[in-house]
Amino acid sequence: MLSVEEARRRILDSLPRLEEVEVELLEALGMTLAEEVTAGHDIPPFDNSAMDGYALRAADVARASAESPVDLKVLGDLPAGYTAGLSVGEGEALRIMTGAPLPAGADAVVPVESTRAQGDRVLVLEGVSPGENVRRAGEDVRAGETVLFPGRLIGAAELGMLASLGYARIRCHRRAVVGIISTGDELVGVEEELAPGKIRDSNSYTLYGMVREAGGVPLRLGVVRDDAALLERTIRENLDKVDLFVTSGGVSVGDYDMVKDVLGKLGEMNFWKVAMRPGKPQAFGHVGGKPLFGLPGNPVSVMVSFEQFVRPALLKMMGREDLFRPQVTAVLDAPLGRKRGRTEFIRVVVEWREGRFHARPTGPQGSGILKSMVLGNGLAVLPEDVGRLETGSEVTVQLLRYCQTP
Ligand code: AMP
Ligand code: MG
């Protein structure tokens, strides 16, 4: 049997990066940056007021207080978006709004709360020091500074930063198109009646969701009956449309040969027994030059295998530097009995309580218990050589999403 790490390493080593494309800024959300982003100018581009108040010379109001206010002449009003076109001299002030450029001559801003307006004059009730309530040019980003590096997921903060710097278009890695195939004579579609012996195809939906959430483009290629010719045709017909295939079902002992024959004929496939639970049988290789993941059919095996193998592979193809979920150490709130010999992925509810993460199993852990994925927000990873774990033991948990109440 292959270890999870070894299987993952072999997969990641054999995958290429997809090419770069230039896209409009908004389209880049959820894609991976393919270029270094260097600031062409300072942010903010000019010294400006951090408050609504009066721009003035700090020295003029050094001794101002409520008891002995300092009386200044008000030169006018400066809203955000305009420049003053005048200079603030001794004994003078300019009414200024947040974000308006600091006028020449002024070196500080007194907030409006510390003043009393009196016609074209203002009484300053509190002193400020030079630079107070002023945002300096470049205090966020300096011209020439590199703020983002290739390999980074473009999220909301990155979009905002790119917009501030004037990047209307940006180079990203292309999103991978993932062809999703469900196999099995027992499967019917979500809109169909359940006949005896039939179940609904759920895997192509969980896979669709996981591909989308990873930033890929899922393409559901439908349910293929356990029929070698059909599977071969579905793959051949879609070779030009997808960057990789993910199939579910047909790699366990019973139907192993059908899938093995077809895939073996179409390319270079490996059929592995990976020392993991759930998800022991896995197929990975290339058909017609496209990577193909043959995941086992059980709904939880599909999701756990996707997490361990397909998601990092997809992210790598799409240029990402960080391929893995965040991991935390959590304390078990319930004991876990288990057999050694395989890495086990227990679906857990993770919670932050009393200064640490706590984890408890979601309930039954069979590979067909999809509810465990619905209830859980993490996968506790129990190493191959670890046996029973008592309440209070520490476990490593891959965080799949943030804590939520069931
Ligand atoms: P297999 O790996 O093909 O032997 O399938 C293992 C188990 O997963 C069987 O109980 C199947 O009915 C179930 N299964 C396979 N494909 C799907 C699917 N697309 N949706 C839901 N269950 C499935
Ligand atoms: Mg099957």
Side-chain angles (χ1 to χ4, degrees), residues 245-272:
F245 289 99
V246 180
T247 67
S248 71
V251 292
S252 55
V253 186
D255 22 26
Y256 201 84
D257 286 337
M258 187 277 279
V259 172
K260 193 172 179 175
D261 282 352
V262 178
L263 300 181
K265 195 165 102 188
L266 291 172
E268 296 282 308
M269 290 296 301
N270 305 288
F271 294 84
W272 293 331

Side-chain angles (χ1 to χ4, degrees), residues 183 186 226 250 255:
T183 69
E186 72 278 33
D226 288 315
D255 22 26

